[in-house]
């Protein structure tokens, strides 16, 4: 496992342990081109239609400070005794990562829950931008 990948994982684990000391917990961590690690959680909402992915806060923070994201990771656990599960970015978050280019690496879900990163280009080999010559 690369140092960057393990640092992101640990940052997300620590945020979950702090923010959600018991019960369910989920968090995201991203790394920017300058090496900053930004973390975020999904906001609590009364209406599920208003919910956002865990990564959105970190993506917005990177955009605010005008830094390119190089890596993205999202994890969750069922309760304080559960394993941390790696979550692939949903299709919407994959599209959000496209903003920073096809070489952004995202952690993906695997059968054995190992920490594996793939580029957005690998996750979306047939991206719609192919039609206008702007392929990832």
């Amino acid at each position: 496992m690369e140092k960057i990948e393990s640092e992101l994982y640990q940052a997300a684990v620590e945020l979950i342990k702090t923010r959600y000391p018991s019960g369910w917990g989920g968090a995201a961590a991203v790394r920017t081109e300058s090496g900053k690690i930004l973390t975020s959680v999904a906001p609590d909402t009364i209406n599920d239609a208003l919910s956002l992915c865990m990564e959105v806060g970190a993506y917005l923070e990177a955009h605010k400070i005008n830094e390119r994201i190089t890596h993205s990771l999202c994890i969750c656990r069922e309760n304080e005794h559960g394993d941390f599960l790696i979550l692939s970015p949903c299709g919407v978050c994959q599209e959000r990562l496209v903003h920073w280019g096809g070489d952004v690496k995202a952690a993906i879900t695997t059968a054995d829950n190992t920490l594996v990163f793939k580029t957005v280009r690998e996750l979306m080999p047939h991206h719609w931008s192919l039609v206008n010559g702007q392929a990832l």
Side-chain angles (χ1 to χ4, degrees), residues 11-86:
V13 165
E14 290 307 315
L15 179 55
I16 291 171
K17 288 179 177 179
T18 302
R19 176 65 175 80
Y20 305 102
S22 62
W24 180 91
V30 303
R31 183 180 185 275
T32 67
E33 199 164 43
S34 72
K36 287 185 178 86
I37 293 179
L38 308 172
T39 60
S40 58
V41 298
D44 294 330
T45 61
I46 294 172
N47 181 341
D48 283 344
L50 303 176
S51 66
L52 292 170
C53 298
M54 290 178 256
E55 303 98 310
V56 173
Y59 293 172
L60 292 172
E61 184 69 16
H63 189 70
K64 180 184 88 176
I65 63 174
N66 199 29
E67 289 204 24
R68 182 179 174 276
I69 289 177
T70 62
H71 294 75
S72 180
L73 170 136
C74 189
I75 61 173
C76 72
R77 61 148 201 239
E78 268 312 303
N79 59 54
E80 65 274 20
H81 306 292
D83 292 333
F84 291 98
L85 304 174
I86 301 159

Side-chain angles (χ1 to χ4, degrees), residues 95 98 124-131 134-136:
E95 284 290 342
V98 166
M124 301 169 57
H126 307 286
H127 190 261
W128 57 266
S129 61
L130 287 169
V131 300
Q134 302 294 319
L136 298 174

